[in-house]
Amino acid sequence: MTSSYLPALPHSAISEPFKDIFFVTGTRKWHFMDLDWQFSRNMTVVREGDELTIFNSVRLTDAGLIELEAFGKITNLVQVGGLHGVDDAFYRDTFGVTYWAQPGAGQPGVPVARELIEGGELPVSGADLYTFKHSKVPETVFRLNRDGGILITCDAFQNYVASDEFFSEESTKVMTDMGFFTPTNVGPVWMQAAEPGPEDFATLAQWSYEHVFCGHGVPVIGGASAAYSETFKRLFDI
């Protein structure tokens, strides 16, 4: 029988940049805007006790899954942004996770078990949630209130500083021309699809945080809120 899930593609080893926060970079292949894209994407995993919560799922190889399960029990799965989630069904069906997503988000055929609502219960403790109000694509931002403040984001916050080993040559060229390789940036394709207004970024510019784990690009460790506030000012004049 042919699997309905996308295959596992090459990915990095799992790192632990902060205690109980794990990070892995993998590959995404996508046909979009009449182009065949191949670029990198990230998954962040937070551990509480013996439970793991996955943000921005990336299907890992069998060896990668064994490594991940050694850290704890895969319990929750969070769709942070509406353009991500192609591997959500794999994790839900394989591990029986509780699937969290913003109202109106989720993936076709993957029912949302718990809705992400500001002020409501979240899959991890000691966290805040911001939901974009002026975007055509569902998008949220999590803040973990530890280590000076850590954001877990999807496409609205990116930090591509250069192409990496998970890119094709064609996508590297196209995405260079599109301005993707700009540190602490707002995702260019997300900007086109979501058509965000400045209001959400004006609110987020007031948030305090030091670090960001994005859906794309390397983690921002230290000085993140100041860097992104400058980006919001440049893009939205706020």
Side-chain angles (χ1 to χ4, degrees), residues 6-12 24-30 37-39 41 58-62 64 86-87 166:
L6 294 181
L9 296 173
H11 60 80
S12 70
V24 60
T25 298
T27 306
R28 176 71 165 112
K29 293 183 177 181
W30 188 26
W37 302 72
Q38 180 180 317
F39 50 90
R41 54 178 173 141
V58 172
R59 182 176 177 180
L60 303 182
T61 61
D62 290 346
V86 294
D87 293 321
F166 305 109

Side-chain angles (χ1 to χ4, degrees), residues 183-197:
T184 57
N185 199 26
V186 176
V189 166
W190 182 82
M191 286 275 283
Q192 293 179 22
E195 298 180 14

Side-chain angles (χ1 to χ4, degrees), residues 1 6 28 68 71 89 95 110 125 199 204 213 231-232 238:
M1 179 181 293
L6 294 181
R28 176 71 165 112
L68 181 62
F71 298 127
F95 297 99
V110 189
S125 64
E199 299 90 344
L204 289 166
F213 291 88
T231 296
F232 304 156
I238 57 174

Side-chain angles (χ1 to χ4, degrees), residues 28-194:
R28 176 71 165 112
K29 293 183 177 181
W30 188 26
H31 185 78
F32 180 67
M33 296 169 56
D34 295 323
L35 293 172
D36 290 319
W37 302 72
Q38 180 180 317
F39 50 90
S40 61
R41 54 178 173 141
N42 303 321
M43 178 169 75
T44 302
V45 182
V46 176
R47 178 170 60 192
E48 282 194 300
D50 65 350
E51 295 186 349
L52 302 179
T53 296
I54 292 174
F55 296 83
N56 297 322
S57 69
V58 172
R59 182 176 177 180
L60 303 182
T61 61
D62 290 346
L65 291 173
I66 291 171
E67 182 183 6
L68 181 62
E69 288 187 280
F71 298 127
K73 177 179 171 56
I74 301 172
T75 304
N76 295 297
L77 171 63
V78 182
Q79 186 194 45
V80 183
L83 297 182
H84 285 226
V86 294
D87 293 321
D88 288 353
F90 169 80
Y91 280 98
R92 185 204 61 169
D93 296 346
T94 304
F95 297 99
V97 298
T98 300
Y99 185 43
W100 301 69
Q102 184 178 339
Q107 288 289 307
V110 189
V112 175
R114 302 293 302 272
E115 291 188 335
L116 295 170
I117 298 173
E118 290 181 15
E121 185 178 355
L122 298 177
V124 294
S125 64
D128 300 313
L129 172 74
Y130 185 80
T131 300
F132 275 70
K133 318 298 189 300
H134 305 276
S135 167
K136 292 184 176 181
V137 176
E139 185 86 4
T140 62
V141 174
F142 281 80
R143 178 174 58 188
L144 307 179
N145 298 312
R146 64 183 85 168
D147 298 298
I150 299 172
L151 297 194
I152 301 176
T153 68
C154 189
D155 287 315
F157 290 63
Q158 295 186 6
N159 191 42
Y160 273 137
V161 297
S163 177
D164 56 43
E165 66 266 35
F166 305 109
F167 274 75
S168 67
E169 290 186 8
E170 180 181 9
S171 290
T172 296
K173 182 181 185 306
V174 170
M175 293 170 73
T176 298
D177 293 342
M178 292 179 69
F180 268 87
F181 302 116
T182 302
T184 57
N185 199 26
V186 176
V189 166
W190 182 82
M191 286 275 283
Q192 293 179 22

